[in-house]
Amino acid sequence: MTALTRGSGRPNQWLRNLNAKIASIPMILTAVVIFLGGTIWTVVYSFTNSKLLPRLSFVGLDQYERLWAAPRWIISIQNLAVYGFFSLVFSLVIGFVLAALMDQKIRFENTFRTIMLYPFALSFIVTGLVWQWLLNPQFGIQSIVRSLGWTSFSFDPLYDADIVIYGILIAALWQGTGLVMCLMLAGLRGIDEDIWKAARVDGIPMWKTYVLIIIPMMRGVFITTLVIIASGIVKVYDLVVAQTSGGPGIASEVPAKYVYDYMFQAQNLGQGFAASTMMLITVAIIIVPWAYLEFGGGRKRG
Amino acid sequence: MDNIASNSTLTAHETATGRIEKGPSGRKPRRRLSRRNIIVYGTLIVVALYYLLPLYVMIVTSLKGMPEIRVGNIFAPPLEITFEPWVKAWAEACTGLNCDGLSRGFWNSVRITLPSVIISIAVASVNGYALANWRFKGAELFFTILVIGAFIPYQVMIYPIVIVLREMGVYGTLTGLVIVHTIFGMPILTLLFRNYFAGLPEELFKAARVDGAGFWTIYFKIMLPMSLPIFVVAMILQVTGIWNDFLFGVVFTRPEYYPMTVQLNNIVNSVQGVKEYNVNMAATVLTGAVPLVVYFVSGRLFVRGIAAGAVKG
């Protein structure tokens, strides 16, 4: 290997760095076969009428027409929109406020951080089941408030089709805000102390400094966090399965669950492929502008 | 940063002069019970209680008997502590045809996580090393595809993988699932290792080359011993990620090989029989125990790991 690369004459291009190439075979296979090939495969088969088994009989946009005519898919999309919007807003706001509080040179910072981040170590299944228990109308929060005297108090989001998605949101925020807080805190710590000094000399109140100076300076952190939260939102699946299994009725369905159910239970592969292609498009809309911003202008090594 | 924060209640004028006279390292004596402190600590304590509450309720519920659950409230500590729900969750709870509790899922998860973690880290570290130190034409392109691939929803790639695994004859087995975890761990781990190796001093690598060391010698003799911390971070990332996985477990394995998370969900959300909330909560705590232990033991390293790997999962 070394002999080949060290040689003064130009050895065969293909044999240069041969060991590195051999070592990269798993990466190349994954990138090309699974990520690229798999994605193209699914998109292509979304134009077929595959049922139990994938087969190449093309039906044009039939699957997509059927998809957008299905009430269950519409509900899935609406749920995802509501969940996504509130999840983004609340994660960013709560995460930032917590980070700002943690950045006040407080005592026990480590303890607080540990407490806020531990839910992130837990799986969505565990998170979902705990919150299913806490929101159980018979035993959980509703029954406790009622036993305190407010007998007409009603809080059973997981059993109310109109607000079930907010019940899922509560659990999602509990699980995920600690991570956002950590990312934001890292961003705050990266800001030059001189900025703060200058702002104070100019007599700018603290909240104004945050809003007008610090947050604009943390643009990069916000964008990264946004991308992380957003790509997590599109994938939301486990949490819904654990908390409600999509119920009551189909009130808490989400696209990821639609895809799974059509591929592996209803054995209507074409529908599953079409739905997953829609998910892919959603992610592309989020990722492409970000990737362009992040890597567009001359990517640096490391 | 501390002075700025603690001085926020002072007027700008005082603050400014105070700073200038004392210099940047000065620390203002502050009152312990200032209004600011009450607000900051008050908020943080309330928030901390909110985050802790579910864990508390989980543990408390798992230690109660069913009669006590039916009459009491979920926040009340158990009057009579019983470990029976734990025994039942571990050894007797039913999922489908099997009634041997979570223990089956636990051992499945161990048998999935151990090889997945080792193989994915071994493969990704060598890839990252090749990308950082032995660049060849086209490598960056494959790497870019890999990293962008990390954002593609898994649902898009699941079915093609089913076909590939079926062709290989490992669909439904633990081996198949290990391969899947290795594949999906690849983007983030390769990125992690590539950046780490690229950050090591280049002279080291050059010196080794001059001494005639080759690809593998440099990897094993120089890179590996120097990168233990990043290996630990990668390990934390993978152990928690793979242990917590649900989707791959449910798609790529047969019921007898279900990992713990899938089994847990089946136990708790099964529609038959009386709901034993205490057993369910004990099962939930048991499933969460492994990642929690990893989290509490590894502390700061966990934060580094998730900061690097937040895009996954």
Side-chain angles (χ1 to χ4, degrees):
Chain A
M1 157 76 227
T2 30
L4 275 170
T5 42
R6 228 196 279 133
S8 49
R10 269 198 141 223
N12 189 333
Q13 264 287 317
W14 285 95
L15 293 177
R16 282 194 69 216
N17 278 359
L18 188 63
N19 270 326
K21 282 171 185 163
I22 292 170
S24 301
I25 288 174
M27 178 191 86
I28 294 170
L29 277 181
T30 304
V32 176
V33 177
I34 303 295
F35 288 170
L36 199 61
T39 305
I40 294 170
W41 190 95
T42 298
V43 174
V44 168
Y45 274 83
S46 74
F47 297 106
T48 68
N49 64 358
S50 307
K51 286 278 180 210
L52 177 61
L53 290 170
R55 48 192 204 118
L56 275 174
S57 59
F58 290 97
V59 290
L61 288 170
D62 259 21
Q63 296 289 3
Y64 291 90
E65 278 165 23
R66 207 170 302 158
L67 185 69
W68 286 100
R72 188 169 159 196
W73 174 254
I74 304 293
I75 289 176
S76 303
I77 292 289
Q78 284 167 346
N79 279 340
L80 191 67
V82 172
Y83 172 85
F85 174 77
F86 286 109
S87 167
L88 269 181
V89 172
F90 283 124
S91 303
L92 288 178
V93 171
I94 297 171
F96 183 78
V97 170
L98 289 181
L101 286 173
M102 297 281 282
D103 199 32
Q104 308 297 311
K105 252 289 141 64
I106 52 160
R107 299 179 70 189
F108 311 114
E109 186 194 317
N110 269 334
T111 314
F112 282 120
R113 204 201 55 210
T114 307
I115 292 173
M116 287 174 203
L117 190 60
Y118 89 87
F120 188 73
L122 295 171
S123 66
F124 273 128
I125 294 294
V126 168
T127 304
L129 296 178
V130 178
W131 281 93
Q132 191 192 57
W133 177 232
L134 283 164
L135 298 175
N136 183 317
Q138 223 185 323
F139 301 100
I141 294 166
Q142 174 176 297
S143 90
I144 288 166
V145 177
R146 280 188 184 175
S147 70
L148 292 174
W150 290 280
T151 43
S152 62
F153 176 81
S154 163
F155 183 66
D156 55 346
L158 299 187
Y159 295 82
D160 183 338
D162 293 331
I163 54 169
V164 62
I165 199 70
Y166 300 98
I168 292 166
L169 183 68
I170 295 174
L173 289 175
W174 178 77
Q175 208 254 4
T177 39
L179 169 71
V180 181
M181 185 273 293
C182 272
L183 296 170
M184 295 281 173
L185 190 58
L188 282 173
R189 294 271 151 87
I191 282 177
D192 195 336
E193 196 155 332
D194 288 341
I195 305 283
W196 280 107
K197 287 182 199 161
R200 270 193 315 130
V201 171
D202 288 346
I204 305 171
M206 190 160 74
W207 67 269
K208 244 184 169 174
T209 313
Y210 271 119
V211 174
L212 296 178
I213 302 168
I214 303 299
I215 292 180
M217 282 184 74
M218 282 170 61
R219 211 178 116 256
V221 177
F222 269 91
I223 292 175
T224 309
T225 313
L226 204 81
V227 169
I228 291 169
I229 308 173
S231 59
I233 288 169
V234 180
K235 291 178 194 164
V236 64
Y237 172 73
D238 315 11
L239 194 59
V240 177
V241 170
Q243 257 186 298
T244 64
S245 316
I250 52 168
S252 59
E253 291 288 344
V254 284
K257 191 164 170 296
Y258 188 94
V259 172
Y260 175 84
D261 288 351
Y262 273 89
M263 276 187 197
F264 297 100
Q265 317 233 281
Q267 292 174 330
N268 189 340
L269 287 174
Q271 268 293 287
F273 296 148
S276 60
T277 305
M278 294 312 304
M279 288 179 72
L280 177 69
I281 293 170
T282 319
V283 172
I285 291 170
I286 303 166
I287 298 302
V288 170
W290 170 76
Y292 184 78
L293 281 174
E294 190 91 354
F295 305 111
R299 202 164 147 190
K300 59 177 192 282
R301 183 174 174 245
Chain B
M1 192 76 71
D2 52 335
N3 294 318
I4 300 134
S6 59
N7 284 340
S8 62
T9 48
L10 303 175
T11 66
H13 175 72
E14 277 175 308
T15 330
T17 50
R19 290 293 289 194
I20 289 157
E21 280 160 20
K22 281 187 162 180
S25 61
R27 176 185 271 269
K28 264 211 160 134
R30 74 163 90 125
R31 277 174 298 152
R32 278 250 156 136
L33 272 177
S34 65
R35 206 165 59 108
R36 187 197 74 94
N37 268 354
I38 294 172
I39 294 173
V40 169
Y41 284 100
T43 316
L44 284 176
I45 288 168
V46 170
V47 170
L49 286 178
Y50 168 77
Y51 280 100
L52 283 175
L53 201 65
L55 186 64
Y56 167 79
V57 169
M58 248 195 289
I59 294 171
V60 163
T61 307
S62 72
L63 295 171
K64 290 176 186 169
M66 270 315 280
E68 203 183 322
I69 290 177
R70 282 194 204 97
V71 294
N73 82 48
I74 57 170
F75 298 119
L79 297 170
E80 245 180 275
I81 291 179
T82 165
F83 289 98
E84 212 176 306
W86 289 69
V87 176
K88 201 163 178 200
W90 177 256
E92 292 159 33
C94 294
T95 48
L97 296 173
N98 308 312
C99 281
D100 45 10
L102 269 181
S103 52
R104 174 190 291 264
F106 175 85
W107 290 115
N108 281 341
S109 280
V110 171
R111 282 157 69 200
I112 293 160
T113 306
L114 273 182
S116 300
V117 169
I118 293 169
I119 295 171
S120 63
I121 290 179
V123 170
S125 65
V126 173
N127 273 335
Y129 161 68
L131 282 169
N133 295 11
W134 301 81
R135 315 163 124 236
F136 57 91
K137 227 176 155 189
E140 283 292 312
L141 175 70
F142 294 124
F143 182 63
T144 310
I145 297 173
L146 196 74
V147 172
I148 293 174
F151 289 100
I152 300 174
Y154 301 139
Q155 282 77 6
V156 180
M157 295 173 279
I158 279 183
Y159 206 86
I161 296 176
V162 168
I163 295 175
V164 171
L165 292 182
R166 207 183 275 149
E167 292 299 312
M168 291 167 69
V170 290
Y171 178 62
T173 66
L174 292 176
T175 316
L177 195 53
V178 169
I179 294 173
V180 171
H181 280 303
T182 307
I183 286 173
F184 285 101
M186 197 103 74
I188 190 62
L189 290 182
T190 308
L191 184 69
L192 196 71
F193 282 109
R194 188 193 79 132
N195 289 353
Y196 185 85
F197 289 133
L200 291 177
E202 224 179 340
E203 289 73 31
L204 213 70
F205 177 74
K206 283 186 181 151
R209 287 295 307 276
V210 171
D211 288 346
F215 186 87
W216 295 108
T217 322
I218 297 180
Y219 175 77
F220 282 111
K221 292 257 169 77
I222 296 168
M223 296 301 177
L224 209 58
M226 283 190 71
S227 351
L228 275 181
I230 204 73
F231 273 90
V232 176
V233 165
M235 210 174 75
I236 294 166
L237 194 67
Q238 285 298 85
V239 170
T240 52
I242 295 170
W243 191 275
N244 286 339
D245 159 70
F246 175 79
L247 181 64
F248 297 150
V250 93
V251 171
F252 297 108
T253 54
R254 283 194 295 269
E256 68 257 42
Y257 296 129
Y258 275 162
M260 205 175 187
T261 44
V262 178
Q263 224 196 356
L264 168 72
N265 187 56
N266 288 349
I267 290 176
V268 176
N269 285 331
S270 75
V271 275
Q272 302 143 325
V274 190
K275 282 222 173 221
E276 293 180 290
Y277 298 106
N278 48 359
V279 176
N280 292 351
M281 281 300 116
T284 313
V285 179
L286 281 170
T287 310
V290 169
L292 276 186
V293 167
V294 171
Y295 173 64
F296 285 117
V297 170
S298 66
R300 278 192 167 275
L301 285 172
F302 179 87
V303 179
R304 269 187 70 190
I306 57 128
V311 287
K312 197 181 148 217

